[in-house]
Amino acid sequence: MRRLDVRKMTCLALCAGLLLGATAVGASEILPEREATMSWWRSAKFGMFIHWGIYAVTGGEYKGQTLPNSAEWMMNRGKIPVAEYERLAAQFNPVGFDADALVSLAKEAGMRYIVFTAKHHDGFSMFASRANRFNVVEATPFKRDMVRELAEACRQHGLRFGLYDSQAQDWYHPGGIGNTWDRTLKRVSRDVYVREKALPEVRQLLTEYGPISILWWDTPRQMSKEALDALYATRFLQPGLIINDRLGKDYPGDFQTFERKIPDNPPEGVDWEVCMPISDSWGYKKSDTHFKSSDQLIRNLVDIVSKGGNYLLNVSPTGDGTLLPQAVDRLRAIGNWMKGNSEAIYGTKASPWRPFPWGRCTRKDTAQGTIIYVHLFERPDDGRVLLPALKNTVREARLSDTGESVSARRVAAGVEVLLPAQLPDTVVTVIRLDLEGSLQVNMDAGSSVIDTKRRTEEAGGNVFRVVGQGRSPAIYLTSLPGNSGKFVHPGVAHTAATFAFVRERIAAHDQPWWDAWNVLRSSPEASLSWEPRPRAHVERGPSNHPDIGSSEFTADGLAAYVHALCWVLSGEEAHARKAAEILHAWASTLESISNHDARLLVGMSGYQYVVAAEIVKHTWNGWPAEQQKEFARMLREIWYPLIKDFYPTANGNWDASMLQTMIAMGVFLDDRAMFERAVEYFLHGEGNGAIGNYIWPSGQAQESGRDQAHTQMGLDFLAATCETAWIQGIDLYKALDNRLLKGFEYTARYNLGYDVPYEPFRSYRGRYYYQSISSIARGRLRPMYERVYNHYHNRRGLEAPYTWMAVQQLRARLGHRGDRSAVTNAIEILMYADQPAELVPGPTR
Ligand code: FHN
């Protein structure tokens, strides 16, 4: 935008304070100057978010009670009337507040900008608002203008300063959105609220506090176009002001926001930022002791920056104006790390590769060539890391912190860095590679395998693959065990070693296996008189209405699985025959599965058929080859077309169900591409069932706000996917820092009756929005915890206290009459309880 236009818009913005008639300004109109405006923000990478308000007086407690959600939601969650909430202001006297100290601390941590909550949803203004007497200067004994003090301190210390404003929600003003509980409010329209309060406050903030670099809108809501246009136009009151994307859907802003969660597939070609509280709550909450570790915070920063985003880390001053020591310590620890490594953060660009299991990369393009920063979270056992498909010559390689040299060389598959015997920094060690010329990563590799045989030798048995991705391809690296890509059989859900182990436990009448075995054996599904009820055309409508053969399909799948287990654990061939009979009955009859829930049905129940088929095929020689072929044909021709594209916008248990079946089918059919499709979607899929979309870092799941039954289903299916992958040498369990475990811990904890934090959750493409955690089906534990406890605790030695409690409850429930999930509980205990760590070895690295 040219200068003249800026002046025009400034004038427009000023007028907008009186009229709500300002014209909308599309983002495209300001594009020419946008690059210059964004450049400091892009290079800054790290900022401090500060949530602070009068709720800090009680630390988010109301009448001595801890309320759900973050503390700044106290007024809403406690349904506190305005007149009562107002009285808190009289107690707000944070004499320990020292803007200079806080800004210095942010600077010490390596943060380059600050965003402060000038006005949050409660309607209290943390500055001397002329439009709202409910403000820190007029309504509190403290009487100091926080915005002014922070703005001044930022200027002194050279940090950029930004302001947060809740433009739509205001629980104090009678025209603000959100206060549904205080009947004494004499309602006025939203436009009146914008005219009387929102707009004048934003105008004041942007004109009376010196340079403001960011305006951080929050919680867009339905408002008139005039109101939104007027609010939007205020951006021209400050030259170079950057705004986020939360004013409204027609106002995309300068950068996209992600909350709490680091995206696995960050948006391409747009600027973005992840905001995240340092503990659970945004505002200071007495009961919140869940501080993220400094290691985690440093790795979060690296992860985000490696994907091209910024990290806005939130801190929460207490009622006395200071930060808790836990927060201060963490900020200092980050600062210490930044001292030696900040060059690998500031001014860098996204990595050309997808995340590696061992760490991340960032990059700089300079006049002298290209710099790649290799951020190591862990040292692979063979002491090497490969930067796949990298073609540049390495001029120099050294530790970024100490400058010590490191060895790096070109190999056929890319550039290989040989690591020191011990990484000097156990959190993140950074190696700087100076490369000749501009970056050359040969993405033409597409989905091709890079000389796997040679690479296998070089990597001591591990096969590395490079896969192209999307329009501007990134690549990821997986390691497979040194078996030249062959699958382990039987290798869906269980292995031969597991069968041998369980057989021994049963023979010795050891618990809990012995009881579980007896429950399984005496179940109706284990009866040799079970008669399959196949149909040519199955229909499953929404929520199983209509149910034309769908329940029979499900019941027969479970029966096939039970018979396969009975055979392999007892050696009684009649069970193998029965399993094969059920599989064949369906394979020779089924022609179609249709209606709304068709793919969900294949996802949920197809899995059991495939586990049964895998066991029968690889442990019994009586299943006729022709029948096996027919079964395989059913999988490929009828099931696979239904599930191959998943259902990204549905609740995540749909995708998850299809993942478990698809990965199982890949193994059974020896179809590497099918198997990989599931692995890829689990890690990087766009929909709700991909690991990072289904489970947030806090452990909250996409369906936690829906009900506990579906949440557990989704988790169960993801666990089944991980187990088959593990058997085949790929560790999906550890994806995103053991994200699956976090989901299990969170869900077990809530279902066992404990409180958990919850953030409103919008699903992929916004189809579902769950505002609070749902207690529907709370406490009804699904038999799914043994397998996950076995993996994380028995194999990996990690703590999983809530998962363990769930395991104990489910063991205690084994065989209870009237328990609809008696058989699946028995299978879970029998096949996954207390296994020795090495029983199913998993990936070789
Ligand atoms: O409701 C708010 C919440 O209190 C907090 O301010 C976060 C920060 O991004 N934004 C809203 C939820 O999206």
Side-chain angles (χ1 to χ4, degrees), residues 49 51 72-73 120-121 164 216 218-219 246 259 275 282 759:
F49 211 176
H51 271 68
E72 71 283 1
W73 276 75
H120 209 275
H121 310 330
Y164 167 107
W216 216 97
D218 203 11
T219 60
R246 295 195 181 183
E259 190 162 317
C275 61
W282 295 101
E759 273 297 301

Side-chain angles (χ1 to χ4, degrees), residues 77-274:
R77 288 301 145 108
K79 309 256 167 285
I80 308 177
V82 165
E84 193 181 331
Y85 191 74
E86 246 173 1
R87 288 203 285 276
L88 267 183
Q91 297 172 54
F92 188 61
N93 196 14
V95 288
F97 175 60
D98 178 346
D100 191 74
L102 187 53
V103 174
S104 303
L105 182 61
K107 190 172 181 177
E108 190 184 330
M111 293 159 156
R112 293 212 154 156
Y113 59 103
I114 285 184
V115 178
F116 175 63
T117 50
K119 191 213 77 167
H120 209 275
H121 310 330
D122 64 357
F124 183 77
S125 310
M126 295 290 275
F127 63 103
S129 168
R130 277 198 304 281
N132 175 28
R133 301 196 58 189
F134 186 42
N135 75 57
V136 67
V137 175
E138 286 181 82
T140 76
F142 191 56
K143 297 194 183 312
R144 281 162 47 187
D145 185 326
M146 313 287 200
V147 170
R148 188 162 306 288
E149 292 184 17
L150 281 166
E152 184 49 37
C154 280
R155 259 191 303 282
Q156 297 274 335
H157 289 279
L159 268 70
R160 298 280 189 150
F161 185 51
L163 292 167
Y164 167 107
D165 183 69
S166 167
Q167 76 278 7
Q169 290 203 73
D170 190 305
W171 306 326
Y172 184 81
H173 191 282
I177 296 175
N179 186 337
T180 51
W181 58 90
D182 191 340
R183 307 270 170 208
T184 64
L185 278 180
K186 299 223 167 357
R187 284 275 162 210
V188 295
S189 77
R190 290 177 186 185
D191 278 357
V192 170
Y193 153 70
V194 172
R195 191 167 59 226
E196 283 181 354
K197 183 172 179 182
L199 202 47
E201 282 206 325
V202 175
R203 284 188 52 218
Q204 185 183 349
L205 288 167
L206 294 180
T207 52
E208 297 181 14
Y209 289 88
I212 304 292
S213 297
I214 302 166
L215 184 52
W216 216 97
W217 305 111
D218 203 11
T219 60
R221 295 287 186 274
Q222 189 71 46
M223 291 165 103
S224 70
K225 181 169 183 320
E226 290 71 24
L228 288 168
D229 283 352
L231 287 167
Y232 181 79
T234 60
R235 69 171 302 169
F236 300 102
L237 294 171
Q238 282 269 340
L241 184 77
I242 292 173
I243 62 169
N244 72 355
D245 62 346
R246 295 195 181 183
L247 178 60
K249 69 174 171 26
D250 297 328
Y251 305 81
D254 298 308
F255 63 93
Q256 200 172 322
T257 50
F258 292 88
E259 190 162 317
R260 290 182 183 265
K261 181 177 176 300
I262 303 174
D264 294 324
N265 296 301
E268 285 175 31
V270 291
D271 295 295
W272 56 276
E273 178 185 72
V274 177

Side-chain angles (χ1 to χ4, degrees), residues 343-369:
E343 67 157 296
I345 298 292
Y346 301 137
T348 58
K349 291 189 183 161
S351 165
W353 300 280
R354 280 185 170 272
F356 294 103
W358 45 258
R360 305 285 184 270
C361 288
T362 53
R363 104 178 209 236
K364 270 183 198 163
D365 301 327
T366 71
Q368 290 72 42

Side-chain angles (χ1 to χ4, degrees), residues 443-493:
M443 297 303 185
D444 299 341
S447 59
S448 70
V449 176
I450 292 187
D451 194 359
T452 36
K453 186 164 170 289
R454 176 144 158 220
R455 188 62 201 140
T456 305
E457 284 149 19
E458 282 173 5
N462 288 325
V463 180
F464 292 86
R465 291 165 316 97
V466 180
V467 180
Q469 273 284 307
R471 267 176 297 137
S472 73
I475 52 185
Y476 75 90
L477 185 71
T478 339
S479 75
L480 304 175
N483 61 5
S484 310
K486 287 209 183 91
F487 287 110
V488 172
H489 293 296
V492 178

Side-chain angles (χ1 to χ4, degrees), residues 292-361:
K292 296 166 183 76
S293 69
S294 46
D295 295 5
Q296 186 61 56
L297 295 167
I298 293 167
R299 289 179 176 191
N300 285 349
L301 174 64
V302 170
D303 187 23
I304 292 167
V305 174
S306 79
K307 293 171 176 167
N310 278 18
Y311 193 23
L312 185 63
L313 181 63
N314 180 74
V315 295
S316 333
T318 61
D320 74 8
T322 59
L323 294 186
L324 289 181
Q326 293 96 312
V328 176
D329 291 350
R330 281 157 178 79
L331 292 175
R332 295 219 160 107
I334 302 172
N336 263 336
W337 183 84
M338 286 289 271
K339 262 187 213 131
N341 299 298
S342 64
E343 67 157 296
I345 298 292
Y346 301 137
T348 58
K349 291 189 183 161
S351 165
W353 300 280
R354 280 185 170 272
F356 294 103
W358 45 258
R360 305 285 184 270
C361 288

